[in-house]
Amino acid sequence: MSNLPRLSTWLAQANAKRGLQGLGKINTIPHKNLSHHHYPCHSKPVPTLLLGVRDHLHHRHYITRAANATAVPSATGYHHQCHQYQRVKSIQHQRKRLFHASAAHQSLIDDPQNHPEKVAARARYPIVSAKDTARSKSMPREVKMLVREFIDDSLYHPHYGYFSKQAVIFSPETDFDFEKIKDNMEFLDIIADKYKEIEDDMDVRDEVARQVWHTPTELFKPWYGYAIAKYIVTEYKLNNYPHKDLIIYEMGAGNGTLMLNILDYIQQFEPSVYERTHYRIIEISKKLAQRQGERQEVRDVTRRHGCVEVINKSIFDWDTPVQDDCFFVGMEVLDNFPHDLIRYDSVTEEPLQGMVAIDEEGDYTEIYAPVSDPLIQKYLSFRKQTGYKPPVLGKRFLRRVRNRLPFAPNLTGPEFIPTKLLMLLETLKTHFPNHRMVLSDFFTLPEAIPGTDAPVVQTRYQGTMVPCSTYMVMPGMFDIFFPTNFELLRDMYQQVCRPALGMEKSVKVQTQRQFLERYGDLERTRTYSGENPMLMYYENNKMFLS
């Protein structure tokens, strides 16, 4: 979950217009994209953000591999072309043999620009997961972690994770009366005022800079939640009413605002359906589930609506079969699902999995190894069945030409893959076979770090959101959130959860605007000038309906 980039820009403009302070004393240093380095592929970017955090927390290294391919001279004529082709095939054969030989492949992982002792020590580091690090209150040292585990630790560690201490949801105490608001700019001024009050209050109380989320659920309550409720009730009455109960599971309920709005709508406009409604909250980590039950807002909703149940279990640890027809709701949840990082050999196109090695001083080194993680292997296998072609493997002819040049890059650019999302799909298939999904999230994000489907990494400083250039930052201090490729998600969902149904009957992907134009009460969010902020904002969101 995160700040909407476009809305954040508008808020910043409104703040600037009113004389609010900008970046203050933050020192920013331009960061060059070092994703495509020549042999040897090594880099150590300067920290993008200096916040009193040790500089080495932002250092980033890449793997190296000896250059075993030389430039192939240009040739004309059939025989020269055959010789050229055979030489390229020979290069590919050599690289494949190197790739699959464990002893020789050591050079593909280790960085020769590091001291040999560090290289040897890194090879001995144990591989740990976020569950392993959650048992300790201190940050891990002298270990290796898959990128998804590293991001999981940064966001969800029970003691220093971002969601354990940093995140605050922007929720106005009273609903906005849009009919009395002149236009979009006046609405932005009102939001900026309320935002500044919250941030000023946090700056007084907290030594660390907490981040404030804003979501359509909170900005346009109750009307956004009413639109979700109208869709759910419509589908329920078409397929299940009156023979079955309406069962709703919500992931990441936050302040409970969406839950309250959905239940209020059903109670007010569909009382016969309300009598058969059950609303259950599930979180993506056990710690968040415990905190959810302690929220005063959630307790208030529970007292107001007796059909609410907070389940103290992570959805990823779910082991109880649920055969009932149910709706699975997740608003702005997918973006904080940890992703894995892969790159491909530039000649053989063999995938390699990214890992983060953490030394005794807390320095981070990004290393690569052949894909051995079962979840990554499974994801790549499912994705291949969809016919998806990774953008980093496009323009094959140009890559072949480049590979013949001296000091050509040994790897493609980075690609982030939503392996945690695949875990969710498999959980739904196994334990919730009769589910229907209602998801909303970002499909594109500006100011992302380099890479395909790469995340935005940001923190707050003196009331301003500051983006970073790497995901390898101090755990707990930075929000890390990803865009979702909804078209690929649709195809993956078809492969995993609905292989027997046709695509047109299984999933719908549409923009949030299209969804709201059909199910939203747009008159309630229209300003005096005729503008409608609920349609204007969050244009980089899509809906996933199954």
Side-chain angles (χ1 to χ4, degrees):
M1 197 172 294
S2 63
N3 295 62
L4 175 71
R6 179 169 295 184
L7 183 54
S8 297
T9 301
W10 287 341
L11 288 176
Q13 293 172 350
N15 289 342
K17 183 178 69 174
R18 301 147 70 108
L20 297 180
Q21 186 178 4
L23 288 178
K25 298 182 180 180
I26 291 185
N27 298 316
T28 57
I29 300 175
H31 172 63
K32 183 180 179 182
N33 182 356
L34 299 173
S35 297
H36 301 280
H37 248 44
H38 300 301
Y39 292 103
C41 188
H42 173 84
S43 67
K44 191 175 184 180
V46 180
T48 303
L49 183 65
L50 306 180
L51 293 174
V53 181
R54 294 179 62 186
D55 290 352
H56 66 254
L57 292 175
H58 299 272
H59 289 175
R60 185 175 187 175
H61 304 270
Y62 295 94
I63 70 164
T64 185
R65 182 162 60 114
N68 60 353
T70 57
V72 178
S74 60
T76 58
Y78 175 76
H79 295 292
H80 286 213
Q81 291 174 2
C82 289
H83 173 74
Q84 191 177 33
Y85 173 77
Q86 290 170 357
R87 186 165 187 175
V88 172
K89 295 295 286 185
S90 176
I91 292 172
Q92 292 177 345
H93 175 74
Q94 292 174 15
R95 289 197 174 187
K96 284 187 177 181
R97 185 175 60 184
L98 173 66
F99 186 85
H100 291 291
S102 58
H105 187 67
Q106 188 66 29
S107 62
L108 189 63
I109 302 176
D110 294 334
D111 186 351
Q113 296 193 23
N114 281 347
H115 193 280
E117 292 182 358
K118 283 197 171 184
V119 174
R122 205 159 58 222
R124 293 192 297 268
Y125 290 166
I127 299 176
V128 299
S129 67
K131 286 186 177 181
D132 298 325
T133 59
R135 302 187 184 101
S136 173
K137 294 184 178 181
S138 59
M139 297 181 186
R141 294 289 187 270
E142 299 184 272
V143 297
K144 288 181 290 191
M145 306 179 74
L146 287 166
V147 171
R148 75 166 181 270
E149 301 293 345
F150 176 82
I151 295 175
D152 194 308
D153 180 73
S154 297
L155 295 178
Y156 301 109
H157 192 281
H159 298 288
Y160 56 74
Y162 169 78
F163 285 103
S164 298
K165 63 176 184 178
Q166 293 291 84
V168 175
I169 299 176
F170 172 70
S171 182
E173 294 182 359
T174 58
D175 303 339
F176 295 112
D177 189 351
F178 289 93
E179 294 180 351
K180 296 181 180 179
I181 298 176
K182 179 182 177 182
D183 53 20
N184 171 58
M185 291 308 300
E186 182 176 332
F187 180 56
L188 287 175
D189 287 341
I190 295 173
I191 296 175
D193 274 339
K194 295 182 178 296
Y195 227 78
K196 191 172 187 301
E197 290 176 5
I198 295 174
E199 290 189 325
D200 288 346
D201 182 56
M202 289 191 303
D203 288 339
V204 171
R205 291 185 290 105
D206 303 323
E207 295 180 359
V208 297
R210 292 177 180 264
Q211 297 188 43
V212 184
W213 303 333
H214 46 74
T215 68
T217 300
E218 300 292 347
L219 287 185
F220 305 112
K221 62 180 182 181
W223 314 115
Y224 185 84
Y226 279 14
I228 303 296
K230 184 177 180 180
Y231 168 78
I232 292 176
V233 171
T234 300
E235 294 298 312
Y236 166 72
K237 293 179 77 173
L238 284 174
N239 298 282
N240 302 114
Y241 182 80
H243 306 292
K244 298 180 181 180
D245 290 348
L246 172 58
I247 302 175
I248 303 172
Y249 289 87
E250 183 184 358
M251 294 182 297
N255 288 341
T257 302
L258 180 65
M259 171 176 56
L260 175 63
N261 297 158
I262 289 176
L263 292 176
D264 282 352
Y265 175 90
I266 299 175
Q267 185 181 45
Q268 180 177 354
F269 298 105
E270 301 286 350
S272 61
V273 174
Y274 180 79
E275 294 177 358
R276 308 197 61 167
T277 298
H278 307 273
Y279 205 104
R280 297 162 185 169
I281 296 176
I282 308 177
E283 282 293 347
I284 60 177
S285 75
K286 186 174 181 179
K287 182 67 175 180
L288 287 179
Q290 293 173 341
R291 293 183 60 197
Q292 192 65 260
E294 298 169 358
R295 287 181 182 270
Q296 182 61 42
E297 302 95 329
V298 175
R299 290 201 298 266
D300 291 342
V301 177
T302 303
R303 285 193 292 266
R304 182 168 172 175
H305 296 284
C307 58
V308 176
E309 179 185 1
V310 179
I311 301 175
N312 188 14
K313 181 184 293 187
S314 167
I315 183 59
F316 297 111
D317 296 327
W318 195 273
D319 56 3
T320 305
V322 178
Q323 299 298 330
D324 300 316
D325 289 2
C326 60
F327 288 84
F328 236 86
V329 179
M331 302 289 109
E332 292 81 44
V333 175
L334 301 184
D335 57 326
N336 283 124
F337 276 19
H339 285 47
D340 270 297
L341 174 61
I342 60 173
R343 291 195 182 193
Y344 302 87
D345 185 285
S346 59
V347 173
T348 67
E349 297 186 357
E350 297 273 5
L352 293 92
Q353 64 188 29
M355 302 187 74
V356 178
I358 310 173
D359 67 15
E360 68 279 359
E361 297 178 355
D363 286 335
Y364 300 144
T365 304
E366 191 177 73
I367 61 177
Y368 289 85
V371 174
S372 59
D373 177 67
L375 185 59
I376 297 179
Q377 291 175 336
K378 186 182 297 184
Y379 178 87
L380 295 177
S381 175
F382 276 122
R383 192 178 71 173
K384 185 177 181 179
Q385 296 176 39
T386 69
Y388 176 82
K389 303 295 183 183
V392 294
L393 293 181
K395 301 179 180 179
R396 180 170 296 179
F397 174 76
L398 294 179
R399 283 193 293 110
R400 286 177 177 174
V401 173
R402 184 181 60 181
N403 289 337
R404 297 170 183 172
L405 300 176
F407 308 111
N410 60 344
L411 294 177
T412 65
E415 179 185 10
F416 291 85
I417 57 175
T419 42
K420 205 77 172 181
L421 179 54
L422 176 59
M423 290 180 63
L424 172 64
L425 297 184
E426 291 191 317
T427 299
L428 295 177
K429 174 188 177 182
T430 303
H431 300 297
F432 300 86
N434 298 312
H435 72 276
R436 302 185 64 177
M437 296 189 74
V438 183
L439 303 176
S440 175
D441 226 304
F442 306 117
F443 66 88
T444 183
L445 290 169
E447 298 185 323
I449 68 176
T452 301
D453 295 329
V456 170
V457 183
Q458 66 182 19
T459 191
R460 189 179 73 91
Y461 184 78
Q462 295 185 357
T464 301
M465 301 307 301
V466 182
C468 302
S469 61
T470 173
Y471 67 91
M472 290 188 292
V473 290
M474 185 175 183
M477 293 294 292
F478 299 81
D479 191 5
I480 304 173
F481 55 102
F482 296 82
T484 297
N485 185 333
F486 279 88
E487 287 68 31
L488 177 57
L489 171 59
R490 175 195 60 202
D491 296 344
M492 292 283 290
Y493 181 86
Q494 176 75 16
Q495 291 287 339
V496 177
C497 298
R498 298 288 188 266
L501 295 178
M503 189 69 68
E504 68 281 357
K505 296 182 179 180
S506 178
V507 179
K508 293 180 182 178
V509 173
Q510 55 188 227
T511 65
Q512 183 167 281
R513 183 187 185 99
Q514 291 172 327
F515 178 86
L516 292 173
E517 285 176 340
R518 180 170 181 180
Y519 295 101
D521 188 351
L522 300 183
E523 291 299 321
R524 297 288 191 170
T525 56
R526 184 170 284 118
T527 63
Y528 182 75
S529 68
E531 295 177 319
N532 198 316
M534 190 166 72
L535 295 181
M536 295 171 62
Y537 300 167
Y538 300 92
E539 291 182 336
N540 60 338
N541 274 29
K542 284 187 177 180
M543 303 290 298
F544 181 93
L545 311 171
S546 70

